[in-house]
Amino acid sequence: MKQRPTFPARIDSSVSAAKPKAPMAINLPQGLGMDSVAVRQRMVQKLASQGLSDPRVLAAMGRVERHRFVDSALVNQAYEDTSLPIGLGQTISKPGVVSRMIELLCQSTEGKLGRVLEIGTGCGYQAAVLSEVATEVYSIERLRGLHDKARENLRFLRLANLHLLLGDGMLGYAQGAPYAAIIAAAGGDALPTAWTDQLAVGGRLVAPVAQRASGAVGGVTAQALVVVDKTSQGLRQTILEAVHFVPLKSGLA
Ligand code: SAH
């Protein structure tokens, strides 16, 4: 006998929960001239063609509206793979670099990342992307002007798992430790020991660090992306491609 459908129909909550989030409401400033979902999808396709493959990161990059984090005069460039000024001499990182670093953080984890520490909130864009792939995000900024700006930019998103902190990120944030992942958006001469101390065993840190070219007379010449994995045997460091980040500075301003 054919099973008759029961009424009212049962909604399978696990299925509805797995549905992708609806795109956020968009209210584009005049000038972008295009639907922001479509422009963002084009950016994501470009990132994928350049080698980004983690579906969690691709989805997050497709969801976070980068144009909301830049000044209105720069909205037209928001989805280009370029860094842009955000005030006080700082820049929002290129989407290609943001997604590359977050993909590196996610590499050894299935599902969501656990607690993440971000050093250098800036305008808050990368923090918003992180909050999509992690259960909890602590993001520290040393410049009050940018900390306030990020708070303002992020208000409409109401991200309950994102905590913005004003402080010196070189000290990390011990209250949230240990972290499954630590990511720095500013580069120093060396990795502060607080970061590796606050990393969980099994956790990963990704940061730009200045590299001394062999043969250069004492001069720091370039930055490279550095990955540090904390294992039960200790720290394992891998140096990757050259990058260009603003300097990591100590103290508040
Ligand atoms: N992730 C940011 C990028 C901002 S640029 C974004 O999406 O916009 C890097 C930021 O690091 C700058 O805002 C700079 O002020 C900040 N920074 C530099 N040294 C720092 C430190 N010791 N602690 C916290 N923030 C720092």
Side-chain angles (χ1 to χ4, degrees):
M1 199 174 78
K2 237 176 144 190
Q3 181 100 40
R4 291 181 62 191
T6 51
F7 189 81
R10 266 215 330 257
I11 296 170
D12 184 344
S13 61
S14 66
V15 170
S16 59
K19 265 200 223 148
K21 278 188 209 164
M24 296 162 215
I26 41 173
N27 178 18
L28 286 179
Q30 285 185 347
L32 192 58
M34 285 176 279
D35 175 297
S36 113
V37 178
V39 190
R40 216 160 29 256
Q41 277 319 311
R42 222 166 302 146
M43 175 189 81
V44 170
Q45 278 160 14
K46 203 157 169 206
L47 294 173
S49 74
Q50 289 162 358
L52 182 70
S53 65
D54 189 313
R56 293 163 292 182
V57 185
L58 288 165
M61 296 300 291
R63 273 200 292 267
V64 180
E65 299 180 328
R66 193 170 184 259
H67 69 270
R68 290 193 183 264
F69 293 86
V70 299
D71 288 348
S72 51
L74 299 170
V75 159
N76 285 318
Q77 296 173 64
Y79 295 103
E80 288 170 18
D81 197 18
T82 177
S83 53
L84 295 168
I86 54 174
L88 302 177
Q90 309 302 318
T91 53
I92 178 175
S93 312
K94 288 178 179 194
V97 172
V98 169
S99 55
R100 162 84 169 135
M101 291 174 83
I102 297 178
E103 185 170 60
L104 285 166
L105 288 184
C106 288
Q107 232 163 38
S108 55
T109 313
E110 277 179 32
K112 282 213 164 189
L113 274 176
R115 253 191 331 267
V116 176
L117 175 67
E118 179 192 44
I119 292 96
T121 313
C123 66
Y125 171 72
Q126 179 169 275
V129 179
L130 286 168
S131 81
E132 295 274 339
V133 301
T135 56
E136 201 133 17
V137 179
Y138 291 88
S139 180
I140 310 184
E141 174 57 56
R142 64 179 285 274
L143 299 177
R144 185 179 293 275
L146 285 176
H147 168 77
D148 291 343
K149 191 175 200 172
R151 197 170 283 294
E152 186 65 33
N153 288 342
L154 288 159
R155 183 163 298 146
F156 81 101
L157 283 175
R158 299 173 193 277
L159 300 169
N161 66 340
L162 171 57
H163 314 282
L164 299 183
L165 307 156
L166 178 67
D168 182 355
M170 286 179 85
L171 308 173
Y173 181 65
Q175 290 92 320
Y179 298 99
I182 298 181
I183 180 168
D189 289 344
L191 290 172
T193 48
W195 298 357
T196 44
D197 289 348
Q198 291 173 21
L199 196 60
V201 172
R204 176 172 268 198
L205 180 162
V206 179
V209 182
Q211 307 291 309
R212 271 168 216 286
S214 57
V217 243
V220 171
T221 56
Q223 280 174 341
L225 214 50
V226 170
V227 172
V228 178
D229 288 305
K230 189 161 178 175
T231 72
S232 49
Q233 276 84 50
L235 302 174
R236 198 177 51 229
Q237 180 171 297
T238 315
I239 298 174
L240 302 172
E241 69 268 22
V243 283
H244 199 75
F245 280 83
V246 295
L248 181 70
K249 293 186 177 171
S250 60
L252 294 188

mmCIF file of all heavy atoms in Angstrom, residues 52-98:
data_model
loop_
_atom_site.group_PDB
_atom_site.id
_atom_site.type_symbol
_atom_site.label_atom_id
_atom_site.label_comp_id
_atom_site.label_asym_id
_atom_site.label_seq_id
_atom_site.Cartn_x
_atom_site.Cartn_y
_atom_site.Cartn_z
ATOM 1 N N LEU A 52 42.221 28.764 -5.106
ATOM 2 C CA LEU A 52 41.486 28.608 -3.841
ATOM 3 C C LEU A 52 40.478 27.473 -4.004
ATOM 4 O O LEU A 52 39.686 27.481 -4.941
ATOM 5 C CB LEU A 52 40.753 29.914 -3.510
ATOM 6 C CG LEU A 52 39.978 29.937 -2.200
ATOM 7 C CD1 LEU A 52 40.923 29.928 -1.010
ATOM 8 C CD2 LEU A 52 39.079 31.166 -2.123
ATOM 9 N N SER A 53 40.533 26.477 -3.113
ATOM 10 C CA SER A 53 39.653 25.330 -3.352
ATOM 11 C C SER A 53 38.803 24.928 -2.149
ATOM 12 O O SER A 53 37.874 24.156 -2.292
ATOM 13 C CB SER A 53 40.488 24.133 -3.821
ATOM 14 O OG SER A 53 41.362 23.745 -2.769
ATOM 15 N N ASP A 54 39.101 25.425 -0.960
ATOM 16 C CA ASP A 54 38.347 25.009 0.220
ATOM 17 C C ASP A 54 36.913 25.553 0.141
ATOM 18 O O ASP A 54 36.719 26.772 0.139
ATOM 19 C CB ASP A 54 39.044 25.538 1.481
ATOM 20 C CG ASP A 54 38.453 24.958 2.748
ATOM 21 O OD1 ASP A 54 37.211 24.938 2.877
ATOM 22 O OD2 ASP A 54 39.229 24.531 3.619
ATOM 23 N N PRO A 55 35.915 24.660 0.084
ATOM 24 C CA PRO A 55 34.529 25.133 -0.076
ATOM 25 C C PRO A 55 34.066 26.036 1.059
ATOM 26 O O PRO A 55 33.258 26.941 0.833
ATOM 27 C CB PRO A 55 33.699 23.843 -0.117
ATOM 28 C CG PRO A 55 34.602 22.721 0.233
ATOM 29 C CD PRO A 55 36.020 23.192 0.144
ATOM 30 N N ARG A 56 34.608 25.824 2.278
ATOM 31 C CA ARG A 56 34.215 26.677 3.406
ATOM 32 C C ARG A 56 34.670 28.105 3.180
ATOM 33 O O ARG A 56 33.970 29.070 3.471
ATOM 34 C CB ARG A 56 34.854 26.164 4.710
ATOM 35 C CG ARG A 56 34.353 24.831 5.171
ATOM 36 C CD ARG A 56 35.285 24.219 6.196
ATOM 37 N NE ARG A 56 36.579 23.838 5.630
ATOM 38 C CZ ARG A 56 37.560 23.244 6.325
ATOM 39 N NH1 ARG A 56 37.402 22.996 7.602
ATOM 40 N NH2 ARG A 56 38.692 22.907 5.731
ATOM 41 N N VAL A 57 35.879 28.249 2.647
ATOM 42 C CA VAL A 57 36.444 29.584 2.436
ATOM 43 C C VAL A 57 35.783 30.244 1.220
ATOM 44 O O VAL A 57 35.444 31.440 1.259
ATOM 45 C CB VAL A 57 37.981 29.506 2.276
ATOM 46 C CG1 VAL A 57 38.580 30.891 2.178
ATOM 47 C CG2 VAL A 57 38.606 28.734 3.445
ATOM 48 N N LEU A 58 35.546 29.461 0.190
ATOM 49 C CA LEU A 58 34.869 30.012 -0.996
ATOM 50 C C LEU A 58 33.484 30.535 -0.598
ATOM 51 O O LEU A 58 33.084 31.631 -1.004
ATOM 52 C CB LEU A 58 34.742 28.936 -2.082
ATOM 53 C CG LEU A 58 36.055 28.551 -2.788
ATOM 54 C CD1 LEU A 58 35.891 27.247 -3.562
ATOM 55 C CD2 LEU A 58 36.524 29.659 -3.729
ATOM 56 N N ALA A 59 32.774 29.761 0.227
ATOM 57 C CA ALA A 59 31.422 30.173 0.646
ATOM 58 C C ALA A 59 31.487 31.448 1.484
ATOM 59 O O ALA A 59 30.689 32.375 1.296
ATOM 60 C CB ALA A 59 30.758 29.047 1.430
ATOM 61 N N ALA A 60 32.460 31.506 2.396
ATOM 62 C CA ALA A 60 32.582 32.683 3.260
ATOM 63 C C ALA A 60 32.927 33.925 2.439
ATOM 64 O O ALA A 60 32.372 35.008 2.668
ATOM 65 C CB ALA A 60 33.641 32.438 4.339
ATOM 66 N N MET A 61 33.823 33.772 1.477
ATOM 67 C CA MET A 61 34.202 34.914 0.634
ATOM 68 C C MET A 61 33.011 35.382 -0.199
ATOM 69 O O MET A 61 32.895 36.556 -0.541
ATOM 70 C CB MET A 61 35.374 34.540 -0.293
ATOM 71 C CG MET A 61 36.673 34.207 0.415
ATOM 72 S SD MET A 61 37.361 35.537 1.427
ATOM 73 C CE MET A 61 37.846 36.726 0.180
ATOM 74 N N GLY A 62 32.134 34.440 -0.535
ATOM 75 C CA GLY A 62 30.947 34.784 -1.316
ATOM 76 C C GLY A 62 29.887 35.473 -0.477
ATOM 77 O O GLY A 62 29.018 36.163 -1.010
ATOM 78 N N ARG A 63 29.938 35.258 0.823
ATOM 79 C CA ARG A 63 28.893 35.817 1.686
ATOM 80 C C ARG A 63 29.222 37.205 2.228
ATOM 81 O O ARG A 63 28.347 38.049 2.351
ATOM 82 C CB ARG A 63 28.628 34.874 2.869
ATOM 83 C CG ARG A 63 27.601 33.808 2.530
ATOM 84 C CD ARG A 63 26.995 33.224 3.787
ATOM 85 N NE ARG A 63 27.944 32.442 4.542
ATOM 86 C CZ ARG A 63 28.099 31.132 4.413
ATOM 87 N NH1 ARG A 63 27.351 30.466 3.556
ATOM 88 N NH2 ARG A 63 28.975 30.496 5.135
ATOM 89 N N VAL A 64 30.479 37.436 2.591
ATOM 90 C CA VAL A 64 30.787 38.710 3.272
ATOM 91 C C VAL A 64 30.906 39.851 2.253
ATOM 92 O O VAL A 64 31.666 39.764 1.290
ATOM 93 C CB VAL A 64 32.064 38.599 4.129
ATOM 94 C CG1 VAL A 64 32.363 39.924 4.816
ATOM 95 C CG2 VAL A 64 31.915 37.490 5.161
ATOM 96 N N GLU A 65 30.146 40.895 2.504
ATOM 97 C CA GLU A 65 30.050 42.016 1.567
ATOM 98 C C GLU A 65 31.225 42.975 1.769
ATOM 99 O O GLU A 65 31.159 43.872 2.614
ATOM 100 C CB GLU A 65 28.721 42.726 1.776
ATOM 101 C CG GLU A 65 27.546 41.790 1.523
ATOM 102 C CD GLU A 65 26.210 42.478 1.723
ATOM 103 O OE1 GLU A 65 26.118 43.380 2.577
ATOM 104 O OE2 GLU A 65 25.262 42.123 1.024
ATOM 105 N N ARG A 66 32.277 42.782 0.996
ATOM 106 C CA ARG A 66 33.491 43.582 1.187
ATOM 107 C C ARG A 66 33.230 45.076 0.955
ATOM 108 O O ARG A 66 33.887 45.925 1.560
ATOM 109 C CB ARG A 66 34.604 43.064 0.265
ATOM 110 C CG ARG A 66 36.005 43.595 0.590
ATOM 111 C CD ARG A 66 37.048 42.827 -0.206
ATOM 112 N NE ARG A 66 38.432 43.191 0.101
ATOM 113 C CZ ARG A 66 39.175 43.994 -0.652
ATOM 114 N NH1 ARG A 66 38.692 44.513 -1.755
ATOM 115 N NH2 ARG A 66 40.430 44.259 -0.297
ATOM 116 N N HIS A 67 32.266 45.390 0.101
ATOM 117 C CA HIS A 67 32.025 46.813 -0.201
ATOM 118 C C HIS A 67 31.530 47.584 1.019
ATOM 119 O O HIS A 67 31.599 48.808 1.056
ATOM 120 C CB HIS A 67 31.063 46.967 -1.382
ATOM 121 C CG HIS A 67 29.656 46.552 -1.112
ATOM 122 N ND1 HIS A 67 29.189 45.270 -1.312
ATOM 123 C CD2 HIS A 67 28.602 47.268 -0.653
ATOM 124 C CE1 HIS A 67 27.912 45.218 -0.994
ATOM 125 N NE2 HIS A 67 27.534 46.407 -0.588
ATOM 126 N N ARG A 68 31.026 46.870 2.020
ATOM 127 C CA ARG A 68 30.556 47.559 3.229
ATOM 128 C C ARG A 68 31.699 47.971 4.158
ATOM 129 O O ARG A 68 31.488 48.653 5.141
ATOM 130 C CB ARG A 68 29.627 46.652 4.021
ATOM 131 C CG ARG A 68 28.297 46.416 3.345
ATOM 132 C CD ARG A 68 27.378 45.786 4.344
ATOM 133 N NE ARG A 68 26.093 45.461 3.777
ATOM 134 C CZ ARG A 68 25.027 46.266 3.871
ATOM 135 N NH1 ARG A 68 25.119 47.428 4.473
ATOM 136 N NH2 ARG A 68 23.882 45.892 3.359
ATOM 137 N N PHE A 69 32.911 47.509 3.865
ATOM 138 C CA PHE A 69 34.052 47.746 4.754
ATOM 139 C C PHE A 69 35.015 48.804 4.210
ATOM 140 O O PHE A 69 36.026 49.075 4.831
ATOM 141 C CB PHE A 69 34.795 46.423 4.999
ATOM 142 C CG PHE A 69 33.970 45.429 5.781
ATOM 143 C CD1 PHE A 69 33.075 44.589 5.148
ATOM 144 C CD2 PHE A 69 34.086 45.361 7.171
ATOM 145 C CE1 PHE A 69 32.311 43.686 5.873
ATOM 146 C CE2 PHE A 69 33.321 44.460 7.902
ATOM 147 C CZ PHE A 69 32.431 43.618 7.253
ATOM 148 N N VAL A 70 34.710 49.326 3.023
ATOM 149 C CA VAL A 70 35.603 50.340 2.459
ATOM 150 C C VAL A 70 34.863 51.669 2.334
ATOM 151 O O VAL A 70 33.632 51.702 2.349
ATOM 152 C CB VAL A 70 36.171 49.892 1.075
ATOM 153 C CG1 VAL A 70 36.983 48.620 1.219
ATOM 154 C CG2 VAL A 70 35.070 49.720 0.036
ATOM 155 N N ASP A 71 35.621 52.748 2.195
ATOM 156 C CA ASP A 71 35.004 54.072 2.058
ATOM 157 C C ASP A 71 34.168 54.124 0.782
ATOM 158 O O ASP A 71 34.492 53.459 -0.200
ATOM 159 C CB ASP A 71 36.097 55.150 1.992
ATOM 160 C CG ASP A 71 36.758 55.351 3.344
ATOM 161 O OD1 ASP A 71 36.208 54.835 4.345
ATOM 162 O OD2 ASP A 71 37.827 55.983 3.388
ATOM 163 N N SER A 72 33.134 54.953 0.809
ATOM 164 C CA SER A 72 32.209 54.977 -0.330
ATOM 165 C C SER A 72 32.922 55.306 -1.644
ATOM 166 O O SER A 72 32.543 54.808 -2.697
ATOM 167 C CB SER A 72 31.059 55.940 -0.071
ATOM 168 O OG SER A 72 31.576 57.185 0.325
ATOM 169 N N ALA A 73 33.998 56.093 -1.581
ATOM 170 C CA ALA A 73 34.718 56.436 -2.812
ATOM 171 C C ALA A 73 35.434 55.223 -3.422
ATOM 172 O O ALA A 73 35.840 55.261 -4.580
ATOM 173 C CB ALA A 73 35.731 57.538 -2.526
ATOM 174 N N LEU A 74 35.592 54.163 -2.644
ATOM 175 C CA LEU A 74 36.351 52.995 -3.125
ATOM 176 C C LEU A 74 35.462 51.788 -3.410
ATOM 177 O O LEU A 74 35.951 50.713 -3.756
ATOM 178 C CB LEU A 74 37.410 52.600 -2.082
ATOM 179 C CG LEU A 74 38.463 53.667 -1.783
ATOM 180 C CD1 LEU A 74 39.304 53.268 -0.584
ATOM 181 C CD2 LEU A 74 39.349 53.886 -3.006
ATOM 182 N N VAL A 75 34.147 52.001 -3.265
ATOM 183 C CA VAL A 75 33.209 50.879 -3.410
ATOM 184 C C VAL A 75 33.357 50.176 -4.763
ATOM 185 O O VAL A 75 33.267 48.953 -4.849
ATOM 186 C CB VAL A 75 31.759 51.397 -3.189
ATOM 187 C CG1 VAL A 75 30.728 50.475 -3.789
ATOM 188 C CG2 VAL A 75 31.511 51.547 -1.694
ATOM 189 N N ASN A 76 33.637 50.956 -5.799
ATOM 190 C CA ASN A 76 33.782 50.347 -7.128
ATOM 191 C C ASN A 76 34.936 49.369 -7.221
ATOM 192 O O ASN A 76 34.970 48.535 -8.105
ATOM 193 C CB ASN A 76 33.982 51.434 -8.195
ATOM 194 C CG ASN A 76 32.671 52.137 -8.469
ATOM 195 O OD1 ASN A 76 31.634 51.491 -8.566
ATOM 196 N ND2 ASN A 76 32.723 53.455 -8.547
ATOM 197 N N GLN A 77 35.905 49.503 -6.309
ATOM 198 C CA GLN A 77 37.068 48.597 -6.356
ATOM 199 C C GLN A 77 36.976 47.486 -5.320
ATOM 200 O O GLN A 77 37.903 46.699 -5.165
ATOM 201 C CB GLN A 77 38.345 49.396 -6.085
ATOM 202 C CG GLN A 77 38.654 50.439 -7.150
ATOM 203 C CD GLN A 77 39.829 51.299 -6.711
ATOM 204 O OE1 GLN A 77 40.940 50.812 -6.561
ATOM 205 N NE2 GLN A 77 39.564 52.565 -6.471
ATOM 206 N N ALA A 78 35.839 47.434 -4.601
ATOM 207 C CA ALA A 78 35.751 46.527 -3.449
ATOM 208 C C ALA A 78 35.935 45.062 -3.821
ATOM 209 O O ALA A 78 36.388 44.268 -3.003
ATOM 210 C CB ALA A 78 34.415 46.725 -2.727
ATOM 211 N N TYR A 79 35.567 44.677 -5.036
ATOM 212 C CA TYR A 79 35.659 43.256 -5.403
ATOM 213 C C TYR A 79 36.813 42.969 -6.353
ATOM 214 O O TYR A 79 36.887 41.899 -6.941
ATOM 215 C CB TYR A 79 34.306 42.756 -5.933
ATOM 216 C CG TYR A 79 33.285 42.826 -4.812
ATOM 217 C CD1 TYR A 79 32.336 43.838 -4.766
ATOM 218 C CD2 TYR A 79 33.345 41.921 -3.759
ATOM 219 C CE1 TYR A 79 31.448 43.938 -3.696
ATOM 220 C CE2 TYR A 79 32.466 42.008 -2.685
ATOM 221 C CZ TYR A 79 31.529 43.020 -2.663
ATOM 222 O OH TYR A 79 30.668 43.104 -1.589
ATOM 223 N N GLU A 80 37.722 43.923 -6.457
ATOM 224 C CA GLU A 80 38.945 43.667 -7.209
ATOM 225 C C GLU A 80 39.970 43.073 -6.259
ATOM 226 O O GLU A 80 39.913 43.306 -5.057
ATOM 227 C CB GLU A 80 39.476 44.977 -7.809
ATOM 228 C CG GLU A 80 38.609 45.447 -8.956
ATOM 229 C CD GLU A 80 38.961 46.850 -9.411
ATOM 230 O OE1 GLU A 80 40.074 47.329 -9.094
ATOM 231 O OE2 GLU A 80 38.107 47.460 -10.058
ATOM 232 N N ASP A 81 40.920 42.311 -6.814
ATOM 233 C CA ASP A 81 41.907 41.685 -5.932
ATOM 234 C C ASP A 81 43.017 42.674 -5.601
ATOM 235 O O ASP A 81 44.147 42.564 -6.066
ATOM 236 C CB ASP A 81 42.473 40.411 -6.567
ATOM 237 C CG ASP A 81 43.176 39.543 -5.518
ATOM 238 O OD1 ASP A 81 42.921 39.758 -4.309
ATOM 239 O OD2 ASP A 81 43.973 38.677 -5.896
ATOM 240 N N THR A 82 42.632 43.654 -4.803
ATOM 241 C CA THR A 82 43.592 44.694 -4.473
ATOM 242 C C THR A 82 43.400 45.125 -3.018
ATOM 243 O O THR A 82 42.300 45.039 -2.483
ATOM 244 C CB THR A 82 43.407 45.891 -5.454
ATOM 245 O OG1 THR A 82 44.295 46.918 -5.071
ATOM 246 C CG2 THR A 82 42.006 46.451 -5.433
ATOM 247 N N SER A 83 44.510 45.542 -2.393
ATOM 248 C CA SER A 83 44.378 46.090 -1.045
ATOM 249 C C SER A 83 43.921 47.545 -1.190
ATOM 250 O O SER A 83 44.203 48.181 -2.208
ATOM 251 C CB SER A 83 45.704 45.981 -0.291
ATOM 252 O OG SER A 83 46.735 46.561 -1.040
ATOM 253 N N LEU A 84 43.212 48.054 -0.204
ATOM 254 C CA LEU A 84 42.672 49.414 -0.292
ATOM 255 C C LEU A 84 42.908 50.132 1.027
ATOM 256 O O LEU A 84 42.924 49.497 2.094
ATOM 257 C CB LEU A 84 41.155 49.352 -0.562
ATOM 258 C CG LEU A 84 40.727 48.757 -1.914
ATOM 259 C CD1 LEU A 84 39.222 48.492 -1.936
ATOM 260 C CD2 LEU A 84 41.106 49.695 -3.062
ATOM 261 N N PRO A 85 43.095 51.469 0.979
ATOM 262 C CA PRO A 85 43.312 52.210 2.230
ATOM 263 C C PRO A 85 42.057 52.225 3.107
ATOM 264 O O PRO A 85 40.933 52.331 2.593
ATOM 265 C CB PRO A 85 43.651 53.627 1.746
ATOM 266 C CG PRO A 85 43.150 53.710 0.353
ATOM 267 C CD PRO A 85 43.161 52.325 -0.215
ATOM 268 N N ILE A 86 42.252 52.078 4.425
ATOM 269 C CA ILE A 86 41.113 52.119 5.358
ATOM 270 C C ILE A 86 41.283 53.224 6.398
ATOM 271 O O ILE A 86 40.572 53.269 7.390
ATOM 272 C CB ILE A 86 40.916 50.745 6.058
ATOM 273 C CG1 ILE A 86 42.216 50.270 6.732
ATOM 274 C CG2 ILE A 86 40.401 49.705 5.069
ATOM 275 C CD1 ILE A 86 42.065 49.004 7.563
ATOM 276 N N GLY A 87 42.276 54.096 6.173
ATOM 277 C CA GLY A 87 42.512 55.195 7.113
ATOM 278 C C GLY A 87 43.657 54.880 8.051
ATOM 279 O O GLY A 87 44.064 53.718 8.198
ATOM 280 N N LEU A 88 44.203 55.951 8.671
ATOM 281 C CA LEU A 88 45.321 55.851 9.623
ATOM 282 C C LEU A 88 46.510 55.079 9.054
ATOM 283 O O LEU A 88 47.224 54.378 9.772
ATOM 284 C CB LEU A 88 44.844 55.204 10.941
ATOM 285 C CG LEU A 88 43.698 55.935 11.661
ATOM 286 C CD1 LEU A 88 43.244 55.177 12.903
ATOM 287 C CD2 LEU A 88 44.121 57.349 12.048
ATOM 288 N N GLY A 89 46.689 55.180 7.745
ATOM 289 C CA GLY A 89 47.849 54.569 7.088
ATOM 290 C C GLY A 89 47.751 53.056 6.936
ATOM 291 O O GLY A 89 48.738 52.407 6.578
ATOM 292 N N GLN A 90 46.583 52.482 7.197
ATOM 293 C CA GLN A 90 46.436 51.025 7.145
ATOM 294 C C GLN A 90 45.649 50.611 5.902
ATOM 295 O O GLN A 90 45.037 51.449 5.243
ATOM 296 C CB GLN A 90 45.742 50.514 8.413
ATOM 297 C CG GLN A 90 46.374 51.016 9.700
ATOM 298 C CD GLN A 90 47.844 50.636 9.827
ATOM 299 O OE1 GLN A 90 48.238 49.517 9.505
ATOM 300 N NE2 GLN A 90 48.667 51.568 10.272
ATOM 301 N N THR A 91 45.684 49.317 5.604
ATOM 302 C CA THR A 91 44.982 48.830 4.411
ATOM 303 C C THR A 91 44.183 47.566 4.716
ATOM 304 O O THR A 91 44.558 46.784 5.583
ATOM 305 C CB THR A 91 45.983 48.484 3.271
ATOM 306 O OG1 THR A 91 46.972 47.587 3.788
ATOM 307 C CG2 THR A 91 46.654 49.710 2.716
ATOM 308 N N ILE A 92 43.107 47.386 3.966
ATOM 309 C CA ILE A 92 42.361 46.120 3.982
ATOM 310 C C ILE A 92 43.122 45.206 3.016
ATOM 311 O O ILE A 92 43.500 45.630 1.918
ATOM 312 C CB ILE A 92 40.889 46.343 3.547
ATOM 313 C CG1 ILE A 92 40.092 45.026 3.514
ATOM 314 C CG2 ILE A 92 40.771 47.015 2.200
ATOM 315 C CD1 ILE A 92 38.589 45.234 3.199
ATOM 316 N N SER A 93 43.394 43.973 3.450
ATOM 317 C CA SER A 93 44.183 43.059 2.621
ATOM 318 C C SER A 93 43.402 42.646 1.376
ATOM 319 O O SER A 93 42.182 42.714 1.334
ATOM 320 C CB SER A 93 44.548 41.799 3.414
ATOM 321 O OG SER A 93 45.051 42.139 4.681
ATOM 322 N N LYS A 94 44.161 42.213 0.359
ATOM 323 C CA LYS A 94 43.552 41.716 -0.883
ATOM 324 C C LYS A 94 42.697 40.492 -0.592
ATOM 325 O O LYS A 94 43.117 39.631 0.198
ATOM 326 C CB LYS A 94 44.647 41.191 -1.823
ATOM 327 C CG LYS A 94 45.529 42.169 -2.468
ATOM 328 C CD LYS A 94 46.517 41.333 -3.271
ATOM 329 C CE LYS A 94 47.481 42.183 -4.029
ATOM 330 N NZ LYS A 94 48.192 41.412 -5.040
ATOM 331 N N PRO A 95 41.570 40.331 -1.281
ATOM 332 C CA PRO A 95 40.769 39.109 -1.099
ATOM 333 C C PRO A 95 41.597 37.845 -1.342
ATOM 334 O O PRO A 95 41.436 36.850 -0.635
ATOM 335 C CB PRO A 95 39.668 39.241 -2.156
ATOM 336 C CG PRO A 95 39.573 40.703 -2.429
ATOM 337 C CD PRO A 95 40.932 41.285 -2.204
ATOM 338 N N GLY A 96 42.524 37.905 -2.305
ATOM 339 C CA GLY A 96 43.360 36.736 -2.596
ATOM 340 C C GLY A 96 44.217 36.333 -1.410
ATOM 341 O O GLY A 96 44.402 35.136 -1.138
ATOM 342 N N VAL A 97 44.716 37.317 -0.681
ATOM 343 C CA VAL A 97 45.574 37.041 0.477
ATOM 344 C C VAL A 97 44.737 36.596 1.682
ATOM 345 O O VAL A 97 45.083 35.655 2.388
ATOM 346 C CB VAL A 97 46.439 38.287 0.813
ATOM 347 C CG1 VAL A 97 47.195 38.100 2.111
ATOM 348 C CG2 VAL A 97 47.405 38.570 -0.328
ATOM 349 N N VAL A 98 43.598 37.278 1.891
ATOM 350 C CA VAL A 98 42.703 36.909 3.001
ATOM 351 C C VAL A 98 42.281 35.441 2.839
ATOM 352 O O VAL A 98 42.376 34.631 3.770
ATOM 353 C CB VAL A 98 41.446 37.834 3.007
ATOM 354 C CG1 VAL A 98 40.381 37.321 3.961
ATOM 355 C CG2 VAL A 98 41.852 39.258 3.369
#
